Amino acid sequence: MSLSGGWYLTLAAVLFGIGAVGVLVRRNVLVMFMCIELMLNAANLTFVTFSRMLGDIGGQVVVFFVLVVAAAEVVVGLGIVVAIFRRSTSTVADDLHVLKG
Amino acid sequence: MRVALLIASASLHGGIAMPHIAYLAILPEIVMLGGAILLLAVASLVRSALNVTVITVSTLVISLASLAAALWQFFDVQSHGAYTTLDHAVVLDGFSVLVTVLVASAMALTALVGDGYQRREGLAGPEFNVLAMVSATGAMLMGEANDLVIVFLGLEILSIALYVLAAFNRRRAESGEAALKYFLLGGFSSAIFVYGIALTYGATGTTNLTQIADFLAKNVVVSDGLLLAGLTLLLVGFAFKVAAVPFHMWTPDVYQGSPTPITGFMSAVAKAAGFAALIRVFVSSFGVLRVDWQPIIYALAVVTLLVGAVLALIQTDIKRMLAYSSINHAGFVLLGLEAAGALGKVGARGVSSALYYLFAYTFMAIGSFAIVSVLGGRGDAAHEISNYKGLGKRQPFLALAFAVLLLSQAGAPFTTGFWAKLQVVAAAVDANSVPLAVIAMVSAAVAAFFYLRVVLLMYSPKKFVSDQEGDRLENLDASGDAVASTSAREPLWSGSGRQTALVNELNATLLLESSPETIEVPDEREGDVVNVPVLAVVAIGICIAVTVGFGVFPAPLADFAHKASLLFMP
């Protein structure tokens, strides 16, 4: 049994939606962080699917670039999280309130 | 990505075909990034810690070398014309050269301002400059990207370095918080951007900007949902980066919390790079779809112009005010982009007016934030607008410089700010967007009010007591003389419930009014007069020279901007 590309695209769209909603509604920094990763991976899945559908290897190569960038982002992001939450005990974004906004 | 395709297909036949690389096209990036890595390596290999002076001087040398490479590019483009290289992933044209020049100059100025900042805050090590240079490399790459993947890589190189720079001052809680906000929203916008690239790739079969333009010119996309969704997501990603309303929420917080020289760098470079890539992607690749995107840009421009100007009015923190003013400026650049959607000469004029605006804004923003940085005092905290009261008396030169830069931002004649506003508005009128031009003028008038407010405050006499604020200042002043330390002061104000704010205000008042003993900074003799580092003076002087010089003699810069046409103009 084989699935058509549309299913993969739909799955990617759903994952992207879950990620986007997660970033907007969840208040825990680490969860927000994971949601961003989910969005990036949804984009990767879309790239691979289109790459297969179009018969073009380019889309799969893009995924490597995105993976590398995502890894770099994780390194920096976790560094910032650790640096900030050394001061406080929780990782809830609402606990940060020095800057009004 | 045809590079990959070429390599893949060639490897089937035994050999690997390497794309031709014209190294001149990426020379400024190579110099900047190579210099940054070299500086980092040398700093970690030498036995003793590198002196701040050594680091600043090497950063300056690297930035100026990069600038020289960009000028070499300029003459090359003028004599041989524009071209693409690296298998069409990178383009060298007048547009990319101007962005590179802008970024390299901004980097040099930031190094000058950052020198004094690092000494004052006691930040040792080369990382401050190295990260800024890496970030500048990303910005240059965005300016000459001819492939959505390269745009994305440039965007991320720029942003990731900026996240770290925002958090650079570990002693300030605001700095970390700003970095986290910037990081979360920046990551969110990048993810949206990548998804936009994915959908565009699905709809057109390529990520190369030229090939997308070819595809759209030759094919009629019947069910264009995928393409338009991709286009919208790309626009949202860009709008986050350039801080266009309604994607501007992070800007005031991040600008306020970041170290002030970095705020200047961020406002100039991230905005310029974001707009450069936005203009190139939308005008050269999606030019065919202008009917679809022009109204969106129109709407974005309207809300950005109005929200930026109105919200700047009610700020009490100078950095937040300048943040909203930068949002307002983004609206003006969007005006140029909206005009760039028009066909032919009018469109080209829109592109060059937007670039001119970015160029003028870079020097105004870096100069303004340099002055704010100097006046921030140790701890980079004294940023209340009320601190600027009487600055004209205390530090006449600094006040004059700030007044000139603010007036330029407001669009006063004989400054680049005036010509920049004139050009984008004229371009909008040419493109038949007269209502938008009118809204821009209204927003400029509103914006002039908050710039002039600061200017008037600087030149108002110290004991100018006419409003409630003045009375409160007087009261605080009296109590400030009576008590010596913050802890002793607190009981006096505990009833108000807004202790922190009041104590801040009190500190600010003390800085402004009190005798030298109550100030903890030993190297300032007069208490309220801050020490202005020589290099910061040089940086501010350059910004003023550019702003006023090209304001009085606008021809050379306007000419430069007009030569900055895109290689692919449909």
Side-chain angles (χ1 to χ4, degrees):
Chain A
M1 177 188 149
S2 73
L3 289 172
S4 70
W7 288 102
Y8 290 96
L9 293 180
T10 314
L11 173 66
V14 169
L15 285 177
F16 186 82
I18 293 173
V21 172
V23 175
L24 296 175
V25 302
R26 294 301 296 263
R27 294 290 72 158
N28 187 309
V29 173
L30 292 175
V31 176
M32 289 165 86
F33 208 4
M34 284 190 266
C35 288
I36 291 175
E37 293 299 310
L38 199 59
M39 291 168 75
L40 284 171
N41 283 318
N44 282 345
L45 182 57
T46 313
F47 266 121
V48 175
T49 312
F50 278 133
S51 173
R52 282 284 292 201
M53 287 165 74
L54 297 162
D56 171 33
I57 199 80
Q60 300 189 28
V61 177
V62 176
V63 172
F64 285 107
F65 286 97
V66 178
L67 284 177
V68 170
V69 164
E73 242 180 24
V74 168
V75 171
V76 168
L78 286 181
I80 293 172
V81 171
V82 168
I84 291 180
F85 291 104
R86 258 189 196 157
R87 294 206 186 104
S88 75
T89 47
S90 76
T91 53
V92 177
D94 287 347
D95 289 352
L96 298 173
H97 47 69
V98 183
L99 299 169
K100 46 182 176 178
Chain B
M1 292 291 297
R2 269 188 47 206
V3 188
L5 195 63
L6 264 179
I7 294 170
S9 63
S11 61
L12 290 177
H13 306 292
I16 292 178
M18 292 302 289
H20 174 69
I21 303 175
Y23 281 99
L24 179 59
I26 48 172
L27 190 59
E29 282 92 337
I30 293 176
V31 170
M32 193 66 103
L33 191 63
I37 291 170
L38 195 67
L39 181 58
L40 192 62
V42 168
S44 37
L45 288 179
V46 294
R47 199 156 295 188
S48 57
L50 276 187
N51 193 331
V52 179
T53 315
V54 176
I55 295 168
T56 304
V57 168
S58 27
T59 311
L60 276 178
V61 169
I62 295 165
S63 312
L64 293 179
S66 189
L67 188 64
L71 291 178
W72 182 10
Q73 286 183 334
F74 177 74
F75 292 116
D76 188 61
V77 171
Q78 290 308 309
S79 50
H80 300 112
Y83 55 86
T84 60
T85 182
L86 277 163
D87 203 37
H88 310 296
V90 165
V91 59
L92 179 63
D93 56 10
F95 186 85
S96 77
V97 169
L98 196 117
V99 175
T100 310
V101 166
L102 196 159
V103 172
S105 334
M107 182 60 235
L109 291 171
T110 306
L112 289 173
V113 183
D115 181 77
Y117 180 83
Q118 289 174 79
R119 286 172 202 277
R120 193 180 71 197
E121 305 292 324
L123 300 169
E127 290 83 0
F128 188 89
N129 287 340
V130 167
L131 284 167
M133 283 193 279
V134 170
S135 185
T137 310
M140 291 175 179
L141 204 57
M142 280 179 82
E144 58 182 26
N146 197 38
D147 193 299
L148 286 173
V149 178
I150 304 292
V151 175
F152 174 65
L153 287 179
L155 186 74
E156 288 300 314
I157 295 170
L158 167 79
S159 306
I160 292 178
L162 277 182
Y163 302 149
V164 184
L165 281 172
F168 207 81
N169 200 342
R170 276 170 301 153
R171 296 189 189 89
R172 293 178 63 216
E174 299 99 316
S175 193
E177 194 179 321
L180 190 66
K181 276 183 180 159
Y182 194 27
F183 170 74
L184 283 175
L185 286 169
F188 185 56
S189 71
S190 310
I192 293 175
F193 188 77
V194 177
Y195 198 57
I197 299 178
L199 296 187
T200 311
Y201 170 70
T204 60
T206 175
T207 54
N208 188 290
L209 296 184
T210 318
Q211 287 169 22
I212 291 175
D214 280 351
F215 178 87
L216 292 176
K218 285 177 188 146
N219 301 281
V220 177
V221 186
V222 182
S223 57
D224 55 357
L226 197 58
L227 185 60
L228 290 184
L231 189 68
T232 315
L233 291 177
L234 286 178
L235 183 60
V236 171
F238 279 126
F240 260 110
K241 282 294 158 207
V242 301
V245 180
F247 309 105
H248 68 289
M249 308 79 70
W250 57 274
T251 319
D253 286 349
V254 172
Y255 278 28
Q256 187 189 1
S258 305
T260 315
I262 292 308
T263 312
F265 181 76
M266 199 186 272
S267 71
V269 168
K271 198 162 291 235
F275 267 118
L278 174 61
I279 291 171
R280 191 187 291 282
V281 169
F282 273 61
V283 175
S284 2
S285 290
F286 296 111
V288 181
L289 300 175
R290 58 170 60 81
V291 193
D292 294 309
W293 59 258
Q294 241 183 335
I296 310 178
I297 300 283
Y298 196 111
L300 272 183
V302 170
V303 285
T304 307
L305 283 166
L306 294 180
V307 170
V310 172
L311 287 185
L313 287 175
I314 54 170
Q315 301 304 319
T316 55
D317 184 295
I318 191 90
K319 283 169 87 178
R320 287 183 86 84
M321 192 204 89
L322 287 175
Y324 280 108
S325 117
S326 91
I327 295 172
N328 182 248
H329 286 299
F332 278 98
V333 184
L334 282 173
L335 206 66
L337 174 59
E338 202 271 342
L343 284 166
K345 266 217 168 86
V346 180
R349 184 165 181 195
V351 171
S352 65
S353 73
L355 261 186
Y356 186 92
Y357 203 102
L358 287 173
F359 205 92
Y361 175 69
T362 296
F363 288 93
M364 297 188 289
I366 291 189
S368 306
F369 279 112
I371 292 169
V372 172
S373 171
V374 167
L375 289 173
R378 183 166 292 174
D380 201 13
H383 295 308
E384 291 290 311
I385 291 182
S386 54
N387 286 359
Y388 288 76
K389 197 166 193 167
L391 191 69
K393 257 281 173 42
R394 278 177 285 148
Q395 301 193 295
F397 291 110
L398 217 50
L400 182 67
F402 202 32
V404 169
L405 289 169
L406 287 178
L407 287 174
S408 175
Q409 294 205 41
F414 303 116
T415 58
T416 47
F418 169 73
W419 294 108
K421 282 197 166 57
L422 182 71
Q423 295 226 18
V424 286
V425 170
V429 171
D430 278 357
N432 287 326
S433 311
V434 179
L436 188 56
V438 172
I439 291 171
M441 303 298 271
V442 171
S443 123
V446 176
F449 179 77
F450 62 75
Y451 294 124
L452 287 178
R453 192 181 58 158
V454 177
V455 174
L456 287 181
L457 201 63
M458 287 195 298
Y459 286 101
S460 67
K462 246 180 166 183
K463 294 291 176 190
F464 181 68
V465 194
S466 67
D467 50 7
Q468 260 190 327
E469 188 192 7
D471 287 343
R472 213 168 66 231
L473 285 178
E474 291 271 290
N475 286 338
L476 289 173
D477 191 29
S479 66
D481 284 342
V483 284
S485 70
T486 314
S487 54
R489 254 179 262 134
E490 267 176 358
L492 268 174
W493 300 97
S494 55
S496 72
R498 285 182 62 215
Q499 275 188 28
T500 342
L502 277 169
V503 169
N504 278 344
E505 207 164 359
L506 203 57
N507 284 337
T509 325
L510 283 174
L511 263 180
L512 197 73
E513 309 267 348
S514 65
S515 53
E517 290 82 34
T518 49
I519 302 294
E520 288 170 342
V521 188
D523 54 358
E524 289 167 5
R525 279 189 309 273
E526 289 204 29
D528 47 5
V529 176
V530 291
N531 234 341
V532 187
V534 182
L535 290 182
V537 172
V538 174
I540 295 166
I542 294 172
C543 292
I544 300 262
V546 170
T547 305
V548 177
F550 286 123
V552 178
F553 303 105
L557 187 57
D559 197 39
F560 192 33
H562 284 301
K563 282 189 179 128
S565 50
L566 289 167
L567 173 54
F568 301 106
M569 194 79 187

